[in-house]
Amino acid sequence: MKVGVVGGGAAGFFYAINYAIKHPEAKVTIYEQSKDVLGKVKISGGGRCNVTHACFIPKDLSKFYPRGQKELIGPFHSFACGDTMEWFDSRGVALKIEDDGRVFPESNSSQSIVDCLMGECRRLGIRIMTNTKVKDLHIMPDDTWQIDFGEGNGTLVDKLFIASGSSPFFWKILTRCGHSVVPPVPSLFTFNIKDPKIKDLPGISMPNAEIKVLDTKMQESGPLLITHWGLSGPAVLKLSAWGAVELNSRNYQFDISVDWIPSVSEEEIIEYKNTNASKMVLSRSLFGIPNRLWASLLSDHDLEGKRWGDLSKISMQSLINQFKSQRFSVRGKSTFKEEFVTAGGVDLKEVNFKNFSSKLLPNLHFAGEVLNIDAVTGGFNFQAAWTGAYLAALD
């Protein structure tokens, strides 16, 4: 049995290893066009590799996937976050759960994951062919697959696993083979905003804020970070993931409102005014808002020497609007660090999620970002890759 794996990333390696374990007689080869493998694993999580997330209930876990939510519930019952943690732990990679639920190697180095996967490949005799560009794929009359390397070179395999990631080139090949591909759009991006209110505040963050895209139903909450180019942080990244298609259709030109203190109601702000009427408005920041952000939020108001009791209803409502619904115009996006993720890929209606096989073509499996599956940040995209690759390897 010859098995070809196209793509030297997380999904490709995980499939190759688990297939070789399940089928020790098979000859498994990974084909990677670049000189290095596992590049995305190396840089993920700021070089620490956010392996998975400590979410152990399949239905709850599926809710972190804007595309693939329904389809992944079943697979997560078979192989999910706890299984991933046990898989690596049993191979000597100690993992830790951080306060926000993200799971990393105890070493705080992605090299621990890379070394584990590479070591398993060596132990199992899996061939890794780098600098090997796949030019085309062909299904043969006997249901084997020909992998074409160009210039008359190629090889036949009995099973083919595609883990090519967000590759337009391979999506084109799969389309020619008969699959449908949902057009890709960026996901997990930050918002470009040029506004004097936040221009001089990069590095300031709020532990919990709420963002709404105006004129839509889209809204998310979570930590929010002001950057040199606009707004980032989990709240923005979640919003960009769930709104990937809609925001792309708007060419990343849209307006948002920010509630800097969603845990504080308008009534509580007014109550503070009434019970602290003699205090100076500018004496100190309130409600957990950092001093510099507080000064920015109040900068449009003439508050020098004024006490809370001096504020009229109109002035007070204006301040509340700054705290609870400050508006910004987003004009473009930026990639979140090096972790570029796309929404789009092979149409999920054409995938058998019991084993991540093609419903249209025999002996073809795929996992990872080649499929129209993506998640919010936090280790969830890796988990989808581990799950799909593992279940495909069992077939």
Side-chain angles (χ1 to χ4, degrees):
M1 172 75 73
K2 290 182 65 176
V3 179
V5 179
V6 177
F13 268 74
F14 210 62
Y15 171 84
I17 292 166
N18 286 292
Y19 194 90
I21 292 171
K22 181 72 174 178
H23 308 277
E25 77 287 352
K27 296 180 179 180
V28 183
T29 304
I30 297 172
Y31 300 99
E32 169 58 45
Q33 67 175 353
S34 68
K35 66 177 181 178
D36 296 313
V37 293
L38 298 169
K40 198 165 185 178
V41 173
K42 292 177 184 178
I43 65 173
S44 70
R48 296 198 297 148
C49 187
N50 187 181
V51 180
T52 185
H53 201 96
C55 182
F56 304 113
I57 300 175
K59 190 170 183 180
D60 292 345
L61 178 58
S62 72
K63 293 176 182 178
F64 291 96
Y65 296 82
R67 269 109 349 225
Q69 178 176 351
K70 178 182 68 174
E71 291 83 359
L72 287 171
I73 295 176
F76 284 154
H77 275 90
S78 298
F79 191 91
C81 305
D83 303 292
T84 297
M85 295 178 69
E86 193 279 332
W87 194 95
F88 282 104
D89 183 72
S90 68
R91 288 161 175 81
V93 181
L95 301 174
K96 61 178 179 177
I97 301 173
E98 300 201 336
D99 291 343
D100 59 2
R102 292 181 299 164
V103 177
F104 292 91
E106 282 191 359
S107 66
N108 278 324
S109 173
S110 60
Q111 196 62 44
S112 297
I113 303 300
V114 172
D115 290 345
C116 174
L117 297 175
M118 293 293 290
E120 283 294 278
C121 284
R122 286 191 295 270
R123 181 178 71 84
L124 296 164
I126 296 167
R127 295 177 67 204
I128 302 172
M129 304 290 291
T130 56
N131 292 310
T132 305
K133 183 173 177 58
V134 175
K135 300 285 188 178
D136 209 345
L137 302 169
H138 303 278
I139 182 71
M140 307 304 286
D142 62 353
D143 292 340
T144 60
W145 284 87
Q146 179 178 327
I147 304 176
D148 182 6
F149 304 117
E151 299 180 355
N153 296 316
T155 188
L156 284 174
V157 296
D158 300 290
K159 282 183 177 289
L160 179 64
F161 181 78
I162 305 293
S164 54
S166 303
S167 169
F169 177 78
F170 281 102
W171 281 328
K172 186 176 181 180
I173 291 177
L174 289 170
T175 299
R176 181 186 55 73
C177 290
H179 271 287
S180 302
V181 171
V182 177
V185 297
S187 180
L188 291 188
F189 51 84
T190 61
F191 294 169
N192 290 354
I193 299 171
K194 292 184 178 180
D195 191 295
K197 286 283 188 180
I198 58 174
K199 179 183 176 183
D200 298 320
L201 302 179
I204 287 180
S205 63
M206 289 296 290
N208 186 47
E210 185 175 272
I211 307 178
K212 298 179 181 179
V213 177
L214 300 179
D215 301 322
T216 76
K217 294 182 179 180
M218 290 185 286
Q219 67 179 62
E220 284 292 343
S221 60
L224 181 64
L225 172 67
I226 299 174
T227 70
H228 289 287
W229 56 88
L231 293 177
S232 184
V236 169
L237 296 173
K238 286 191 290 182
L239 194 56
S240 75
W242 287 101
V245 176
E246 169 72 15
L247 300 182
N248 176 265
S249 71
R250 295 176 177 229
N251 197 30
Y252 309 104
Q253 312 285 308
F254 53 93
D255 294 333
I256 62 172
S257 71
V258 176
D259 183 346
W260 297 101
I261 46 173
S263 62
V264 180
S265 67
E266 291 190 19
E267 291 74 17
E268 287 175 300
I269 299 173
I270 294 171
E271 182 180 357
Y272 179 89
K273 168 191 179 296
N274 293 336
T275 56
N276 295 273
S278 63
K279 292 185 178 180
M280 306 300 292
V281 178
L282 298 179
S283 61
R284 66 186 183 93
S285 59
L286 302 172
F287 315 121
I289 299 173
N291 292 336
R292 289 166 58 209
L293 178 57
W294 176 262
S296 175
L297 292 173
L298 303 187
S299 61
D300 285 345
H301 303 77
D302 182 16
L303 298 173
E304 190 65 39
K306 290 190 176 180
R307 303 176 188 276
W308 282 102
D310 298 331
L311 301 185
S312 66
K313 285 186 177 180
I314 294 176
S315 295
M316 194 62 197
Q317 188 58 54
S318 180
L319 278 183
I320 290 173
N321 291 341
Q322 290 286 90
F323 299 145
K324 302 290 292 178
S325 57
Q326 187 174 22
R327 294 182 60 147
F328 295 102
S329 293
V330 177
R331 296 296 179 262
K333 61 175 178 59
S334 295
T335 301
F336 175 57
K337 299 182 180 178
E338 301 92 351
E339 300 178 31
F340 185 73
V341 174
T342 61
V346 174
D347 194 321
L348 302 187
K349 295 192 296 292
E350 301 171 356
V351 180
N352 177 355
F353 280 93
K354 290 182 178 180
N355 54 20
F356 284 74
S357 64
S358 167
K359 289 182 178 179
L360 308 181
L361 300 166
N363 298 317
L364 174 64
H365 297 73
F366 16 49
E369 289 183 51
V370 68
L371 300 173
N372 185 27
I373 290 175
D374 65 285
V376 301
T377 186
F380 301 104
N381 282 297
F382 268 136
Q383 184 56 53
W386 307 131
T387 295
Y390 184 85
L391 295 184
L394 299 183
D395 187 31

